[in-house]
Amino acid sequence: MNGKALPYLLLMPATLFLCVFFLYPFALVAFEAVTRDGAFTLDNFRTMAGSWKFPVTVSNTLLLAAIVVPIQLAMALLMASVVSRLETGRSVALYIFAIPLGISDLAAGLIWLAIFDQSGFLNTLLSTLGIVDRPIMFLGYQDKLTIFVAVALAEIWRATAIMMVILVAGMGLIPKEYCEAAEVFGAGPWKRFIRITLPLLRPSLQTAIILRVILAFEVFAVVAALGGTNLPVLMGETYNWQFTLQDRNVAAASALLILAISIGFTLFFLRVLRVPKEARI
């Protein structure tokens, strides 16, 4: 086989997969977003932006991402540091921390619903301890703050592991000689982490943050399980336009908005966390 053709042949399956399952559906969605009854129009975007839910939906989505992602990043760094330092039991700790990765979004939402429900674990615990006389409705439609907190906790528990796995892999690529040399010159654990580990971890941080931010803008099942329509988010409103209101054109416009926000934040983090070529390991 011609050596020059081999790389292209190896890339062909992935390229076909992307074309069939991403580029083609994207072209259809983009076409639906800018047309109605076969004619070009921007009315779909105007209808989406004119909805009374639109400002609340955007603010809820951005606020959820702004709160959840930094907390997850801090927890993932802590968990990855613990796993990387373990001499024995490292695999066991990694498996335990990664358990939520095997749970679907909806299942995670239902687990936390079982905690916050009126007859759930939290109310049972409070009643057993004599703290409350009757069950509290934590997820009532009037208590949107509690719903938001419940969704944030569920997302933090469910998706921190994926960032941790990426950071553990990144820490494994950092040569131990750097930290050993810094220790010889008197640098403490915190200083070694700030001056050596974090700078060399930037490629992994870049990947983890971009992936998690994109997924944060696509949150849907956890919100549906815990809050229903009481906590509108962008993906939930896209689903609402498509299946409840039966307006696939506006749903396509909403999907393009999510894509545009995701691309914007991706470019931002690629710029902020870029690694110079000479600084790569």
Side-chain angles (χ1 to χ4, degrees):
M1 183 180 294
N2 189 346
K4 294 183 178 180
L6 181 59
Y8 299 100
L9 291 174
L10 294 175
L11 286 173
M12 188 176 297
T15 304
L16 291 175
F17 179 86
L18 288 175
C19 290
V20 173
F21 294 103
F22 178 75
L23 294 180
Y24 177 66
F26 169 73
L28 292 179
V29 170
F31 178 77
E32 293 282 355
V34 296
T35 59
R36 184 173 286 274
D37 299 327
F40 176 81
T41 180
L42 295 178
D43 287 344
N44 301 319
F45 291 95
R46 296 190 187 98
T47 302
M48 174 191 68
S51 171
W52 66 272
K53 277 187 175 183
F54 181 74
V56 179
T57 297
V58 174
S59 62
N60 282 342
T61 305
L62 293 176
L63 183 61
L64 188 63
I67 292 175
V68 167
V69 174
I71 294 175
Q72 287 182 317
L73 177 60
M75 292 181 62
L77 281 170
L78 177 61
M79 293 159 66
S81 298
V82 170
V83 171
S84 299
R85 290 175 180 273
L86 288 176
E87 297 292 338
T88 58
R90 178 177 176 177
S91 298
V92 175
L94 185 60
Y95 290 149
I96 292 173
F97 285 153
I99 285 175
L101 282 178
I103 301 174
S104 68
D105 298 8
L106 183 58
L110 293 175
I111 290 171
W112 283 85
L113 179 63
I115 295 175
F116 285 101
D117 193 54
Q118 198 168 0
S119 58
F121 172 77
L122 184 56
N123 269 310
T124 302
L125 178 63
L126 294 176
S127 299
T128 303
L129 296 176
I131 298 175
V132 296
D133 296 328
R134 56 182 181 179
I136 302 173
M137 187 178 289
F138 291 106
L139 303 177
Y141 70 94
Q142 293 179 327
D143 201 350
K144 298 186 185 301
L145 178 60
T146 306
I147 295 174
F148 186 91
V149 171
V151 170
L153 289 174
E155 277 292 293
I156 291 170
W157 174 79
R158 181 189 67 82
T160 301
I162 191 170
M163 298 183 76
M164 179 209 66
V165 170
I166 295 172
L167 296 181
V168 167
M171 288 182 179
L173 296 175
I174 299 175
K176 293 182 179 180
E177 290 80 3
Y178 293 165
C179 290
E180 291 172 355
E183 189 175 1
V184 169
F185 285 99
W190 178 249
K191 198 166 188 179
R192 293 199 302 270
F193 181 77
I194 295 296
R195 296 294 182 89
I196 297 175
T197 303
L198 275 184
L200 295 177
L201 204 59
R202 285 178 74 174
S204 299
L205 285 171
Q206 186 184 77
T207 302
I209 291 174
I210 289 173
L211 179 62
R212 188 61 198 98
V213 167
I214 291 174
L215 293 176
F217 291 132
E218 297 176 0
V219 63
F220 171 64
V222 172
V223 177
L226 291 170
T229 58
N230 294 319
L231 186 69
V233 290
L234 281 172
M235 190 60 75
E237 281 306 294
T238 304
Y239 177 90
N240 187 46
W241 282 111
Q242 177 72 32
F243 296 103
T244 305
L245 301 176
Q246 297 289 311
D247 194 331
R248 63 183 185 180
N249 299 96
V250 180
S254 182
L256 282 189
L257 174 64
I258 297 173
L259 177 63
I261 294 175
S262 299
I263 291 175
F265 276 92
T266 297
L267 294 176
F268 172 76
F269 285 116
L270 285 174
R271 176 69 177 176
V272 171
L273 296 174
R274 66 175 179 171
V275 183
K277 186 179 294 186
E278 61 274 9
R280 296 173 186 172
I281 299 176

